[in-house]
Amino acid sequence: MISKGFIPVLKREWQKMTYRPIYLMMTIIIPSIVILFFATFLNKGMPSSLPIAVVDFDNSTTSRLIVRNLSAGQTCNVMYKLTSYESCKTKMQTGDIYAFVIIPRNFEKDLYNHQNPQVNFHTQYVHYLAGSLIMKEINTTLSTIAAGVDLKVRLAKGQDYNYAMAQVNPINTDNHIIGNALLNYSFYLTSSIMPGIIFLMAMICTVYAIGIEFKMGTSRRWLVVGNKDIFVSLSGKLLPYTVLFSVMVMLSEIIMEHVMGFPSKGNPTLLYIGALMTVLAYQAMGILIIGMLPSLRTALSIAAFYGVMGFSLSGFSYPHLAMLPAVKPFTFLYPLRQYYMLYCNVQINGLEFWHTIMPFVYLLLFCCVPLLAIWNIKRTAIKLDYERD
């Protein structure tokens, strides 16, 4: 006689996980590779030592100072000192450099005579991040040197130091960068992409675990073991994946905080609960997709497309407030958006639960999504009208 109920379904799924390597690949190996990759290769935060070239037609004390300051900075690395625009262009087209700077003749003379000399900067914005960082570094370097030259000229003319400084820099800014004083790009990028990939795997694994029952014609036995209760059958089947993916996400959060040195101002337990709820939310979306489209190949394709779109619309790569009004409502269709808000509110800003409750509410709503399609899963499992690939 077949044992029925939650525990038999759980044991049955555990045996399937043990005998089929694809489950081990989705639940442990791929998440571990993702964590290892971000914790090692992308642990530097902001890119540094980006290769550039310089053409110095002036070859003066000031122009050489510009080249030295660019090389001494964290962002740029002057790898080539070339002699023409064409040679720099060739280097950039072949991918050896991200940008190049051309310092014109008589640069120092025009600078001291207040003739507003022009330094040419060229980059390819195909490499958006690299080009932006290099341009910022070059602008900062040129502004600092120009201010130093202006101050030197004013002091040589006999002006008082404080008066000269007020003329050179009439407005002082007091900058306060909350939560990320080092402007570490990884604090926002890695904190969302690393767990985001694990969430994506949780959804794909959910689609596969249910869809393979339809494909292999074993869904009736699955329901029988679950005492013909679809809620018992689904919960017993998906619980092992919920536990494994939740552990992997929490492990990634611990590594980010204690190994990679990410900020942690709030209660980490809130983020762990949020991670668990996000895993459940993505599993819920997986149930919805395979329920509405009970074809394994089609459902996997839709799940992958849906999951990848979440990386663009969650707000960590492109600012949410800058999105078009017609696009903003669609960002709430992705649990990753709520997880990102939780990370910012808890880890970066240190808010308490009552000040960041809305992401938890949205994630809870996601967990109710399977009710829209769970009836079709049971119907398909019983009738076995699955369209074979």
Side-chain angles (χ1 to χ4, degrees), residues 157-194:
K157 291 180 179 180
Q159 291 185 2
D160 177 70
Y161 177 81
N162 292 329
Y163 176 80
M165 279 296 298
Q167 297 300 310
V168 171
N169 187 25
I171 300 176
N172 290 320
T173 58
D174 186 15
N175 300 319
H176 297 272
I177 304 173
I178 300 174
N180 190 4
L182 299 177
L183 293 177
N184 191 320
Y185 192 64
S186 185
F187 286 179
Y188 298 98
L189 186 65
T190 301
S191 61
S192 298
I193 291 184
M194 182 161 64

Short mmCIF file of all heavy atoms in Angstrom, two decimals, residues 157-194:
data_model
loop_
_atom_site.label_atom_id
_atom_site.label_comp_id
_atom_site.label_asym_id
_atom_site.label_seq_id
_atom_site.Cartn_x
_atom_site.Cartn_y
_atom_site.Cartn_z
N LYS A 157 50.73 87.53 -7.63
CA LYS A 157 50.34 88.93 -7.81
C LYS A 157 50.17 89.66 -6.49
O LYS A 157 49.84 90.85 -6.47
CB LYS A 157 49.03 89.01 -8.61
CG LYS A 157 49.18 88.58 -10.06
CD LYS A 157 47.85 88.69 -10.79
CE LYS A 157 47.98 88.29 -12.25
NZ LYS A 157 46.68 88.39 -12.99
N GLY A 158 50.37 88.96 -5.38
CA GLY A 158 50.33 89.59 -4.08
C GLY A 158 49.00 89.52 -3.36
O GLY A 158 48.82 90.18 -2.34
N GLN A 159 48.07 88.74 -3.86
CA GLN A 159 46.78 88.63 -3.18
C GLN A 159 46.91 87.84 -1.89
O GLN A 159 47.75 86.95 -1.76
CB GLN A 159 45.75 87.95 -4.10
CG GLN A 159 45.33 88.78 -5.29
CD GLN A 159 44.22 88.10 -6.09
OE1 GLN A 159 43.75 87.03 -5.72
NE2 GLN A 159 43.81 88.74 -7.19
N ASP A 160 46.05 88.18 -0.92
CA ASP A 160 46.01 87.42 0.34
C ASP A 160 45.55 86.00 0.05
O ASP A 160 44.70 85.77 -0.82
CB ASP A 160 45.05 88.12 1.32
CG ASP A 160 44.92 87.35 2.62
OD1 ASP A 160 45.88 87.32 3.40
OD2 ASP A 160 43.83 86.74 2.82
N TYR A 161 46.08 85.04 0.82
CA TYR A 161 45.78 83.63 0.56
C TYR A 161 44.29 83.35 0.70
O TYR A 161 43.68 82.69 -0.16
CB TYR A 161 46.58 82.74 1.52
CG TYR A 161 46.28 81.26 1.36
CD1 TYR A 161 46.87 80.52 0.35
CD2 TYR A 161 45.37 80.63 2.21
CE1 TYR A 161 46.58 79.16 0.19
CE2 TYR A 161 45.07 79.28 2.06
CZ TYR A 161 45.68 78.55 1.04
OH TYR A 161 45.38 77.22 0.88
N ASN A 162 43.67 83.81 1.80
CA ASN A 162 42.24 83.54 2.01
C ASN A 162 41.39 84.17 0.92
O ASN A 162 40.42 83.57 0.44
CB ASN A 162 41.81 84.05 3.38
CG ASN A 162 42.44 83.26 4.51
OD1 ASN A 162 42.72 82.07 4.37
ND2 ASN A 162 42.69 83.93 5.63
N TYR A 163 41.77 85.40 0.52
CA TYR A 163 41.03 86.07 -0.55
C TYR A 163 41.19 85.31 -1.87
O TYR A 163 40.24 85.13 -2.62
CB TYR A 163 41.50 87.51 -0.70
CG TYR A 163 40.85 88.24 -1.84
CD1 TYR A 163 39.57 88.77 -1.72
CD2 TYR A 163 41.51 88.39 -3.06
CE1 TYR A 163 38.96 89.43 -2.78
CE2 TYR A 163 40.91 89.05 -4.13
CZ TYR A 163 39.63 89.56 -3.98
OH TYR A 163 39.04 90.22 -5.03
N ALA A 164 42.44 84.88 -2.13
CA ALA A 164 42.70 84.15 -3.37
C ALA A 164 41.93 82.82 -3.39
O ALA A 164 41.36 82.44 -4.42
CB ALA A 164 44.20 83.89 -3.52
N MET A 165 41.89 82.13 -2.26
CA MET A 165 41.16 80.87 -2.20
C MET A 165 39.66 81.09 -2.43
O MET A 165 39.00 80.28 -3.09
CB MET A 165 41.37 80.19 -0.84
CG MET A 165 42.67 79.41 -0.74
SD MET A 165 42.75 78.01 -1.89
CE MET A 165 41.38 77.02 -1.33
N ALA A 166 39.13 82.19 -1.89
CA ALA A 166 37.72 82.50 -2.08
C ALA A 166 37.41 82.78 -3.55
O ALA A 166 36.31 82.49 -4.03
CB ALA A 166 37.32 83.69 -1.22
N GLN A 167 38.38 83.34 -4.28
CA GLN A 167 38.18 83.60 -5.70
C GLN A 167 38.31 82.31 -6.53
O GLN A 167 37.57 82.11 -7.50
CB GLN A 167 39.20 84.63 -6.19
CG GLN A 167 39.07 86.00 -5.52
CD GLN A 167 37.71 86.62 -5.78
OE1 GLN A 167 37.24 86.68 -6.90
NE2 GLN A 167 37.07 87.08 -4.70
N VAL A 168 39.26 81.48 -6.14
CA VAL A 168 39.47 80.24 -6.88
C VAL A 168 38.33 79.25 -6.63
O VAL A 168 37.85 78.59 -7.56
CB VAL A 168 40.82 79.61 -6.47
CG1 VAL A 168 40.96 78.21 -7.06
CG2 VAL A 168 41.97 80.49 -6.92
N ASN A 169 37.88 79.14 -5.38
CA ASN A 169 36.83 78.20 -5.02
C ASN A 169 35.78 78.92 -4.18
O ASN A 169 35.77 78.82 -2.95
CB ASN A 169 37.43 77.02 -4.25
CG ASN A 169 36.42 75.92 -3.99
OD1 ASN A 169 35.45 75.78 -4.73
ND2 ASN A 169 36.64 75.13 -2.95
N PRO A 170 34.90 79.68 -4.82
CA PRO A 170 33.97 80.52 -4.06
C PRO A 170 32.93 79.75 -3.28
O PRO A 170 32.36 80.27 -2.32
CB PRO A 170 33.31 81.38 -5.15
CG PRO A 170 33.45 80.58 -6.40
CD PRO A 170 34.74 79.84 -6.27
N ILE A 171 32.63 78.51 -3.66
CA ILE A 171 31.60 77.72 -2.98
C ILE A 171 32.20 76.40 -2.53
O ILE A 171 32.71 75.62 -3.33
CB ILE A 171 30.39 77.44 -3.90
CG1 ILE A 171 29.75 78.75 -4.36
CG2 ILE A 171 29.36 76.57 -3.18
CD1 ILE A 171 28.61 78.56 -5.34
N ASN A 172 32.14 76.15 -1.22
CA ASN A 172 32.59 74.87 -0.68
C ASN A 172 31.39 73.95 -0.49
O ASN A 172 30.32 74.39 -0.05
CB ASN A 172 33.29 75.07 0.67
CG ASN A 172 34.64 75.75 0.52
OD1 ASN A 172 35.38 75.44 -0.41
ND2 ASN A 172 34.94 76.68 1.42
N THR A 173 31.56 72.70 -0.85
CA THR A 173 30.49 71.72 -0.67
C THR A 173 30.86 70.75 0.44
O THR A 173 32.01 70.32 0.55
CB THR A 173 30.25 70.93 -1.97
OG1 THR A 173 31.45 70.27 -2.36
CG2 THR A 173 29.79 71.86 -3.08
N ASP A 174 29.88 70.45 1.27
CA ASP A 174 30.06 69.48 2.35
C ASP A 174 29.25 68.24 2.00
O ASP A 174 28.03 68.19 2.20
CB ASP A 174 29.58 70.09 3.67
CG ASP A 174 29.86 69.18 4.86
OD1 ASP A 174 30.67 68.23 4.70
OD2 ASP A 174 29.29 69.41 5.94
N ASN A 175 29.90 67.25 1.42
CA ASN A 175 29.22 66.07 0.89
C ASN A 175 29.02 65.01 1.97
O ASN A 175 29.93 64.75 2.77
CB ASN A 175 30.01 65.46 -0.27
CG ASN A 175 30.18 66.43 -1.42
OD1 ASN A 175 29.24 67.14 -1.77
ND2 ASN A 175 31.36 66.47 -2.02
N HIS A 176 27.85 64.41 1.98
CA HIS A 176 27.54 63.33 2.91
C HIS A 176 26.95 62.18 2.10
O HIS A 176 25.81 62.26 1.62
CB HIS A 176 26.55 63.79 3.98
CG HIS A 176 27.07 64.89 4.86
ND1 HIS A 176 27.80 64.66 5.99
CD2 HIS A 176 26.99 66.23 4.72
CE1 HIS A 176 28.14 65.81 6.55
NE2 HIS A 176 27.66 66.79 5.78
N ILE A 177 27.70 61.12 1.93
CA ILE A 177 27.26 59.95 1.17
C ILE A 177 26.81 58.89 2.17
O ILE A 177 27.62 58.25 2.83
CB ILE A 177 28.40 59.42 0.27
CG1 ILE A 177 28.89 60.55 -0.64
CG2 ILE A 177 27.92 58.24 -0.55
CD1 ILE A 177 30.11 60.19 -1.44
N ILE A 178 25.51 58.73 2.29
CA ILE A 178 24.93 57.88 3.33
C ILE A 178 25.03 56.41 2.94
O ILE A 178 24.60 56.02 1.84
CB ILE A 178 23.46 58.27 3.58
CG1 ILE A 178 23.38 59.73 4.02
CG2 ILE A 178 22.83 57.36 4.62
CD1 ILE A 178 21.97 60.25 4.14
N GLY A 179 25.59 55.62 3.82
CA GLY A 179 25.59 54.18 3.65
C GLY A 179 26.69 53.62 2.76
O GLY A 179 26.95 52.44 2.79
N ASN A 180 27.31 54.47 1.94
CA ASN A 180 28.32 53.97 1.02
C ASN A 180 29.34 55.07 0.76
O ASN A 180 29.46 55.59 -0.35
CB ASN A 180 27.67 53.51 -0.29
CG ASN A 180 28.63 52.77 -1.21
OD1 ASN A 180 29.78 52.52 -0.84
ND2 ASN A 180 28.18 52.42 -2.38
N ALA A 181 30.05 55.44 1.80
CA ALA A 181 30.97 56.57 1.70
C ALA A 181 32.09 56.33 0.69
O ALA A 181 32.64 57.28 0.13
CB ALA A 181 31.58 56.85 3.08
N LEU A 182 32.42 55.08 0.43
CA LEU A 182 33.49 54.76 -0.52
C LEU A 182 33.00 54.71 -1.96
O LEU A 182 33.81 54.46 -2.86
CB LEU A 182 34.14 53.42 -0.14
CG LEU A 182 34.79 53.34 1.25
CD1 LEU A 182 35.31 51.93 1.51
CD2 LEU A 182 35.92 54.35 1.38
N LEU A 183 31.71 54.94 -2.17
CA LEU A 183 31.12 54.84 -3.51
C LEU A 183 31.44 53.48 -4.16
O LEU A 183 31.79 53.40 -5.32
CB LEU A 183 31.61 55.98 -4.41
CG LEU A 183 31.15 57.39 -4.02
CD1 LEU A 183 31.76 58.42 -4.96
CD2 LEU A 183 29.64 57.49 -4.03
N ASN A 184 31.31 52.44 -3.34
CA ASN A 184 31.59 51.09 -3.80
C ASN A 184 30.43 50.58 -4.63
O ASN A 184 29.32 50.35 -4.12
CB ASN A 184 31.83 50.16 -2.61
CG ASN A 184 32.39 48.83 -3.01
OD1 ASN A 184 32.00 48.25 -4.02
ND2 ASN A 184 33.32 48.30 -2.23
N TYR A 185 30.66 50.44 -5.93
CA TYR A 185 29.60 50.02 -6.86
C TYR A 185 29.08 48.63 -6.51
O TYR A 185 27.91 48.32 -6.74
CB TYR A 185 30.16 50.04 -8.28
CG TYR A 185 29.14 49.92 -9.37
CD1 TYR A 185 28.17 50.89 -9.55
CD2 TYR A 185 29.15 48.84 -10.24
CE1 TYR A 185 27.23 50.79 -10.56
CE2 TYR A 185 28.22 48.72 -11.25
CZ TYR A 185 27.26 49.70 -11.41
OH TYR A 185 26.34 49.59 -12.40
N SER A 186 29.91 47.82 -5.90
CA SER A 186 29.54 46.45 -5.59
C SER A 186 28.49 46.38 -4.48
O SER A 186 27.75 45.40 -4.39
CB SER A 186 30.77 45.64 -5.18
OG SER A 186 30.47 44.29 -4.99
N PHE A 187 28.44 47.41 -3.62
CA PHE A 187 27.46 47.39 -2.53
C PHE A 187 26.04 47.32 -3.06
O PHE A 187 25.15 46.77 -2.42
CB PHE A 187 27.61 48.64 -1.66
CG PHE A 187 28.82 48.62 -0.77
CD1 PHE A 187 29.11 49.69 0.06
CD2 PHE A 187 29.67 47.54 -0.75
CE1 PHE A 187 30.22 49.68 0.88
CE2 PHE A 187 30.79 47.51 0.07
CZ PHE A 187 31.07 48.59 0.89
N TYR A 188 25.81 47.88 -4.24
CA TYR A 188 24.47 47.88 -4.81
C TYR A 188 24.33 46.82 -5.90
O TYR A 188 23.26 46.25 -6.06
CB TYR A 188 24.14 49.26 -5.39
CG TYR A 188 24.14 50.35 -4.34
CD1 TYR A 188 25.23 51.17 -4.16
CD2 TYR A 188 23.04 50.52 -3.51
CE1 TYR A 188 25.23 52.16 -3.18
CE2 TYR A 188 23.03 51.50 -2.54
CZ TYR A 188 24.13 52.33 -2.37
OH TYR A 188 24.13 53.29 -1.41
N LEU A 189 25.39 46.58 -6.64
CA LEU A 189 25.32 45.64 -7.75
C LEU A 189 25.33 44.19 -7.27
O LEU A 189 24.40 43.42 -7.52
CB LEU A 189 26.48 45.88 -8.72
CG LEU A 189 26.48 45.07 -10.01
CD1 LEU A 189 25.28 45.46 -10.87
CD2 LEU A 189 27.77 45.29 -10.78
N THR A 190 26.37 43.83 -6.53
CA THR A 190 26.52 42.45 -6.06
C THR A 190 25.40 42.08 -5.10
O THR A 190 24.90 40.95 -5.12
CB THR A 190 27.88 42.27 -5.38
OG1 THR A 190 28.91 42.56 -6.31
CG2 THR A 190 28.05 40.85 -4.86
N SER A 191 24.99 43.03 -4.24
CA SER A 191 23.97 42.73 -3.24
C SER A 191 22.64 42.35 -3.85
O SER A 191 21.80 41.73 -3.19
CB SER A 191 23.77 43.94 -2.32
OG SER A 191 23.33 45.06 -3.08
N SER A 192 22.42 42.71 -5.12
CA SER A 192 21.17 42.35 -5.79
C SER A 192 21.36 41.23 -6.81
O SER A 192 20.51 40.34 -6.91
CB SER A 192 20.58 43.58 -6.49
OG SER A 192 20.26 44.59 -5.56
N ILE A 193 22.45 41.29 -7.56
CA ILE A 193 22.64 40.28 -8.62
C ILE A 193 22.95 38.91 -8.03
O ILE A 193 22.41 37.89 -8.49
CB ILE A 193 23.77 40.73 -9.57
CG1 ILE A 193 23.32 41.94 -10.37
CG2 ILE A 193 24.13 39.59 -10.53
CD1 ILE A 193 24.33 42.40 -11.40
N MET A 194 23.80 38.85 -7.00
CA MET A 194 24.17 37.55 -6.44
C MET A 194 22.96 36.81 -5.87
O MET A 194 22.68 35.68 -6.28
CB MET A 194 25.27 37.71 -5.39
CG MET A 194 25.75 36.38 -4.81
SD MET A 194 27.36 36.48 -4.02
CE MET A 194 27.04 37.59 -2.66
#
